[in-house]
Amino acid sequence: MKLDLKSMLAATAVVAAAGTASAQGVGIEKIGLAVPNLQADFFNQIKLGVEGYAGKLGIEVIVVDAKNDTATQVSQVQDLITQGIDAFIYIPAGAAAAAVPTRLARAEGIPVINVDREPDGEPGDTVIYGENVLSAYQVCSHIIGLAGGEGKMVIVHGQKGTTPEVQRFQGCKRAIDENPGIELVAQQWSQMWSPDEGFSIAQNMLQAHPDVKVIFGQADALAMGAAKAVEVAGFTDQIVVGGYDGDVAALESLAECDTPFIVTATQSTQAMGVLAVNSAIAVYHGASVPARQIPNAVLTTCDNAQEFVEKHP
Amino acid sequence: MSSATADSGKKFRFKLPFSLGRATGPLIGLLLLCAFLSIATDSFLSVRNFLNILDQVTVIGIIAVGMTFVILIAGIDLSVGSVLALSMMVLGYLNVEAGLPMGIAIPGGLAAAALAGFVSGLIITEFRVPPFIATLAMMSIARGLANMITNGSQIIGFPPWFNMGAIIRHGGFLTMTVAVMLVVFVVAVLFQRFREGGRALYAIGGNPEVARLAGINVKRATVLVYTMCAVLSGLAGILLAARLDAVQPSIGFAYELDAIAAVVIGGTSLAGGTGGVGGTIVGVLIIGVLRNGLNLLSVSPFLQAVIIGLVIVLAVAAETFKFKGK
């Protein structure tokens, strides 16, 4: 039986590559996808990745959007389970409450694939997240290098306590520690990773520290908001801004290269969606998957942004 | 005093047909919605899904009861979501960080909420600040305090039975959290129908000056109503903490809008003086069933937002037309 499944999986992978698989080869019919917030391009890209790939395999995908509210997400997951999903791709909304949806799905024996964030104390069958530490280190090294390795720096954090927020800071801190000339003068946390938060947080920081030379926004939306604040303040020539994620809008802006925002780390979001679907199929059939699957992000500057604009990884 | 009885007697005569009339429209809407969903999707009509819906409306249902009383006296409370978060954070702090038993932590959370509501009430009655502004201020204050408790971080690590209270269905039906909601509903309906205090709210909403002249202590009643609304928000927060098995200060964002929507869909007028808890319960269920049904039908999240907005417009517009017609 086990051999059967394995060969079936292998077959699935092959046909999937050819893009002509049918539902019969896969064994699952319905996947539930719980997303924190579709306004964020990052999650939207994952959704597109999941839907596009699952569509090719003939799997129905039911998407629910929690609008960043953990309680809404718990309700939505109950509804997904009522609809008889065969596998559950779960991106926890916010930092808290992540454990309950996993428990609900586990109680029904439904495989749980975590993407981007992992609940405390209640891990899914596998977690897929972009490598954060090394890429954040690369982004920060790049902007610090452009500033000549010295001067004041500020960081606009993402939502406090989430995995990407913690790890991106960890990576960036390493770059800061390697450059004794860099002084981290201010840090502030956003609630929703949104551009307007990036704008207002950066504006206040620039007010307090007009001599800042380096800004790291932990997501492209935050970084682009911060870059706008830099432009408004008239500091365009003095400050470099680094971001993270490789959002579509950010990549387009980088390709134009006409703002202080000049580097990001592009995550393979669509590929993560595909990986999530494949993992769901594998776990459903009892095959083992690695506890952590961590695709790398690619350092993206004005020079190589254009290729990602044409085809998002 | 005799004028008071006359007044409330008059209210009674108007009230009964109104309360039924105002709640029947939404009730018919709810039944039609259920009938449609039962046909449109085979996963809707089951005991289990119905219990899920009750689970899902617990928090907003309890908040909406408090909001109904506030709106009945022609007020508004924008702080309910923040007060809910404050109560949750106090609960989490007392139980997990300070290591106190739930027997102290739960009353502690409720007390923090009550204090917030009491202060709102005082600002409204003593300083004559409009309720919209006073509770807007409290929304900001309570949210800030909730964030200060842990500097923005979440708290996890409640005792296991706490989360089980929201998951285990006793006798196959009632979770502890849903049971609490049902008790709140029953007590609120009984209070509003049969207690003098409940009747007084209609008089205050109709005309506070007349109510005052009729011997109702309007100030005291107003402070009590805002305090009660905050306590119910706090209670909803504690149930939410049980459901999520975690607390975080950013929770409850924009819940006041959901609660107000439920009250308005249920036929309570924002002008005060007409409507009631019965209609609100129907309003809460309409929102709950609608969200659940749209999820079950796999309607895109973007389209869901549009549909929910349309239903609110439809419900209120239908009432307006009905009254024009009379």
Side-chain angles (χ1 to χ4, degrees):
Chain A
M1 187 63 194
K2 200 150 202 178
L3 216 133
D4 252 17
L5 290 173
K6 274 205 176 135
S7 58
M8 212 159 86
L9 267 176
T12 311
V14 173
V15 210
T20 52
S22 70
Q24 281 154 340
V26 185
I28 28 186
E29 290 168 6
K30 259 190 215 172
I31 289 182
L33 169 63
V35 188
N37 171 24
L38 283 175
Q39 307 301 318
D41 184 63
F42 176 73
F43 298 130
N44 206 21
Q45 290 290 337
I46 294 177
K47 167 183 169 261
L48 294 176
V50 169
E51 283 180 336
Y53 182 62
K56 280 184 196 160
L57 299 180
I59 302 171
E60 183 191 350
V61 180
I62 307 168
V63 185
V64 289
D65 174 3
K67 303 197 181 66
N68 279 325
D69 185 59
T70 39
T72 304
Q73 194 167 44
V74 174
S75 303
Q76 290 175 334
V77 172
Q78 282 184 324
D79 293 343
L80 286 177
I81 293 170
T82 307
Q83 281 163 287
I85 53 168
D86 302 306
F88 176 38
I89 301 176
Y90 173 37
I91 316 178
V100 174
T102 309
R103 274 181 217 152
L104 291 172
R106 280 285 166 80
E108 302 289 321
I110 299 169
V112 179
I113 312 297
N114 281 119
V115 180
D116 189 45
R117 302 165 183 185
E118 191 181 24
D120 276 343
E122 197 77 38
D125 293 293
T126 180
V127 57
I128 299 164
Y129 58 86
E131 196 288 320
N132 281 305
V133 181
L134 181 65
S135 312
Y137 168 75
Q138 288 174 340
V139 169
C140 285
S141 294
H142 188 85
I143 45 180
I144 289 173
L146 286 177
E150 56 179 20
K152 292 189 176 175
M153 177 170 179
V154 295
I155 297 182
V156 183
H157 288 256
Q159 188 180 11
K160 189 167 183 165
T162 53
T163 316
E165 186 270 323
V166 174
Q167 295 187 339
R168 286 173 198 176
F169 178 63
Q170 203 184 333
C172 188
K173 188 77 174 51
R174 232 170 71 199
I176 295 171
D177 291 344
E178 282 177 8
N179 292 276
I182 288 287
E183 189 192 350
L184 185 59
V185 290
Q187 311 180 55
Q188 192 62 258
W189 285 262
S190 92
Q191 293 280 352
M192 315 202 13
W193 307 84
S194 69
D196 54 321
E197 284 177 301
F199 182 93
S200 55
I201 290 173
Q203 198 167 42
N204 293 338
M205 286 174 163
L206 291 174
Q207 185 67 33
H209 309 278
D211 49 349
V212 161
K213 292 174 80 177
V214 185
I215 299 178
F216 175 48
Q218 285 196 338
D220 283 339
L222 297 172
M224 289 175 75
K228 193 49 88 186
V230 170
E231 287 183 63
V232 169
F235 294 152
T236 309
D237 299 331
Q238 164 202 329
I239 297 178
V240 285
V241 182
Y244 205 104
D245 283 344
D247 288 353
V248 174
L251 292 171
E252 281 168 2
S253 161
L254 279 180
E256 297 281 328
C257 206
D258 56 355
T259 71
F261 169 57
I262 40 91
V263 61
T264 189
T266 303
Q267 299 212 63
S268 317
T269 35
Q270 300 237 357
M272 284 162 75
V274 172
L275 194 56
V277 175
N278 277 336
S279 305
I281 297 169
V283 175
Y284 181 79
H285 289 294
S288 71
V289 288
R292 288 162 191 282
Q293 307 184 69
I294 310 175
N296 278 320
V298 187
L299 190 73
T300 312
T301 61
C302 295
D303 300 329
N304 61 349
Q306 188 56 38
E307 56 179 290
F308 291 136
V309 173
E310 277 151 26
K311 191 181 183 316
H312 202 284
Chain B
M1 196 58 215
S2 64
S3 69
T5 15
D7 185 66
S8 70
K10 204 165 138 198
K11 280 275 168 197
F12 245 110
R13 249 189 308 128
F14 274 97
K15 171 67 188 47
L16 275 180
F18 265 25
S19 119
L20 287 176
R22 282 200 160 233
T24 38
L27 191 60
I28 291 169
L30 177 63
L31 294 177
L32 285 177
L33 190 62
C34 288
F36 167 74
L37 288 170
S38 306
I39 297 165
T41 160
D42 43 3
S43 43
F44 177 79
L45 193 62
S46 69
V47 174
R48 191 192 149 146
N49 190 49
F50 183 67
L51 295 177
N52 276 350
I53 294 174
L54 285 183
D55 251 7
Q56 294 167 4
V57 300
T58 305
V59 170
I60 224 66
I62 292 178
I63 296 178
V65 167
M67 188 68 83
T68 307
F69 290 137
V70 170
I71 291 179
L72 270 183
I73 63 165
I76 195 86
D77 190 346
L78 301 180
S79 68
V80 288
S82 299
V83 169
L84 166 132
L86 176 63
S87 154
M88 286 172 83
M89 293 312 289
V90 169
L91 172 85
Y93 178 81
L94 292 178
N95 182 246
V96 180
E97 312 263 309
L100 296 170
M102 277 295 182
I104 298 174
I106 291 176
L110 292 177
L115 187 65
F118 183 70
V119 170
S120 294
L122 282 187
I123 296 173
I124 292 163
T125 52
E126 296 304 322
F127 298 96
R128 302 196 173 268
V129 176
F132 189 96
I133 306 296
T135 58
L136 187 69
M138 184 50 72
M139 170 164 113
S140 183
I141 293 168
R143 178 71 65 192
L145 291 174
N147 271 300
M148 278 162 64
I149 290 173
T150 58
N151 196 15
S153 305
Q154 61 167 328
I155 300 176
I156 55 173
F158 291 106
W161 65 263
F162 192 52
N163 182 229
M164 288 304 129
I167 290 183
I168 296 177
R169 289 182 169 152
H170 298 284
F173 284 101
L174 282 187
T175 57
M176 190 188 66
T177 48
V178 169
V180 171
M181 172 180 75
L182 296 180
V183 169
V184 168
F185 281 173
V186 170
V187 171
V189 168
L190 292 179
F191 169 76
Q192 171 201 292
R193 283 267 158 94
F194 299 114
R195 298 294 301 178
E196 199 184 324
R199 307 309 312 161
L201 300 184
Y202 287 90
I204 296 173
N207 188 330
E209 188 56 22
V210 171
R212 192 182 65 80
L213 293 174
I216 295 172
N217 188 338
V218 175
K219 277 190 179 176
R220 182 167 161 272
T222 304
V223 172
L224 280 178
V225 163
Y226 281 93
T227 308
M228 187 39 73
C229 180
V231 169
L232 287 172
S233 305
L235 178 64
I238 282 156
L239 300 184
L240 184 58
R243 183 162 156 77
L244 301 179
D245 202 15
V247 294
Q248 78 191 81
S250 59
I251 198 80
F253 179 72
Y255 279 19
E256 62 281 355
L257 300 182
D258 273 351
I260 294 169
V263 173
V264 169
I265 291 176
T268 298
S269 160
L270 280 179
T274 49
V277 173
T280 297
I281 296 172
V282 176
V284 165
L285 286 174
I286 286 181
I287 291 187
V289 167
L290 195 61
R291 291 227 168 104
N292 169 268
L294 292 174
N295 280 343
L296 294 186
L297 287 172
S298 314
V299 174
S300 123
F302 299 138
L303 185 57
Q304 288 198 16
V306 174
I307 294 175
I308 289 174
L310 287 177
V311 167
I312 295 176
V313 172
L314 206 70
V316 179
E319 283 303 311
T320 315
F321 273 115
K322 210 170 85 186
F323 279 92
K324 255 190 198 158
K326 276 191 181 175

